[in-house]
Amino acid sequence: MVRIEAVIRPQRLDEVKAALDDFGVTGMTVTEVRGAGKQKGYTQHYRGAEYTVNLIQKLKLEIVVAEADVDRIVEAIATAARTGEIGDGKIFLSPVLDAIRIRTGERGGEAV
Amino acid sequence: MRLIPPIKRLAVLLGACLALLPLGAVVHAQEATPAPAPAAATVTGDPNGITNPDFITKYDGSMKDDKGKVLNEKAPDLSAGDTAWVLGASALVLFMTPGLALFYAGMARAKNVLNVLMQSFIAMAIVTVVWVVVGYSLAFAPGSGATAGFLGGPDFVMLKGVGQTTFTWNGTAMTIPHQVFMAFQMMFAVITPALISGAIVERMKFSAYCVFIAVWSLLVYAPMAHMVWGAGGMLFKMGALDFAGGTVIHMTSGFSALVLVFLLGKRRLSSHEDTRPHNLPMTLIGTGILWFGWFGFNAGSAGAANGLAGSAFMVTHIAAATAGLVWVLLEWVHVKQPTALGFASGAVAGLVAITPASGFVSPTSALIIGAVVPFISYGMIQLKNKLKAYDDTLDVFAVHGMGGVWGAVATGIFADKAVNSLVPDDRGALMKAQFASIGMAILLGVVGTVVITLILKAIFKGIAVSANEEEAGLDLTQHGETGYVHGNGGAEVTFSGGHGAPTMASSLHPAESTH
């Protein structure tokens, strides 16, 4: 199993969810996060005073999928989340040792 | 002495800002100009042909001259229309203070929102009581002896003699009950110290603030109101024009705010701290309420439902709209985007600037007054940001102090006899009187605030909250409440058996939980 962490623009969530639906991936965790990448934030003005916002609001999706599906799902997320502008986000992959469904006690692939 | 550097900085700044006031406060020592103009009074005619400007009011509505000779036994007739309008205008002016509370609170940080709101709401309570007990008397009762031109006497203490009958005010037979006039003026007295609060947001002890506004309304506001509007007031006799309080309200509060921030000190902000306004929609709602209430402020100052009230209403709106627009355009050029806070700031600055002129100027003049004030106030804010010499949190000095100065000068420039017959023919004398009133407002605001603040510092062992309290926010540390509950607001809430109020144990609360 592989955990996919995708940091995306908040406004691309619906498209990414729709893309994941096509793969039958319905379980996910979405977190509001703030972060900085190459974008280096943006500037706001209040009565002419400048405030630089370095950490930008993003959404982080976490899903756990079977290893065989990873490449296709990653490609689907990237396609759905892409605008072509700086700040589209990142996708991180990491191995998952095990998973447990709390209600039934199922483990491994059955649990996700 | 810890206080010397800030006072020096203040002196330099005041000198730079007010270089346009060469005459200043000394002008008032000159001979009184003829034909003093009752700045905010209606022109209802004088049935008795009284020309002596030094008459005093007899409280049943009749008039006596300064020798005590009765000039008019009959009270002026009461007008239901005028009374209804001034009552409504009084309510409008009172509504400005909650509007101001929202205007300021939206610009503060979330952890201080209740404290900022309370600084305005508590003014409604404190100043009302002070005004009833002695404030109105000091402002509007006739004075006596050498101080008569500067301060009222004790005749109206506890509103004694302020009744339901009409009365005569500075030569004008008013057609509204004295009580209604008093109530209208009370609302002005309420909002003025609340204006100052925007400068000291996020760092002043609430206890010290409460005492400050009570004393300030007696030592600064009441004398200034007396000099400009009171029976035998010094600036009134000079012919200074201030229709609805440009000098009395905006300049005294603006310059007092500047002094107070120097004496209070800056917020202890770390370099990475986010000080952006936490809720600009709140600020815009406050702006709308202020704008709405300002119609009562300025048009109500006609004291009657008449053409002058209509004129004041109209120019008020024109100036506010123009200033809001120009401020936005200014920002569009300067920072490439039209901001919501810029529009709100511009509209309020326009309202400030038109206030003293509102009963004296034409629509064209209102356009000019509104168009100029954003350059002055916005420029002052840029200067503040550059100098970093003081921390006027919400720019009270730039908007009210400097906006008020421009309004007073503009009144002298644009006052038009075609709008108000009280405008004198001698423009030079009028300008002298305007500069004298500007100088006096600054002098009184600065000296009064220094004296009050230094005494309060001694009594309260400092008037600023501690660094820890500032960090935790004034809502929690001054009031034991929070304005917002984000999730659980970092706090654990426990309900006590379903009957009592929930109890909150917060990691930030000074009284730590037993958990």
Side-chain angles (χ1 to χ4, degrees), chain B residues 250 287 290-291 294 298 316-317 319-320 323 346-356:
Chain B
H250 298 291
T287 304
L290 280 170
W291 196 327
W294 226 292
N298 288 357
T316 297
H317 182 66
V348 171
L351 291 163
V352 168
I354 195 65
T355 292

Side-chain angles (χ1 to χ4, degrees), chain B residues 114-116 118 206 474-481:
Chain B
L114 287 179
N115 180 254
V116 178
M118 272 296 281
F206 190 68
L474 272 64
D475 287 0
L476 208 50
T477 58
Q478 301 296 294
H479 307 288
E481 299 170 288

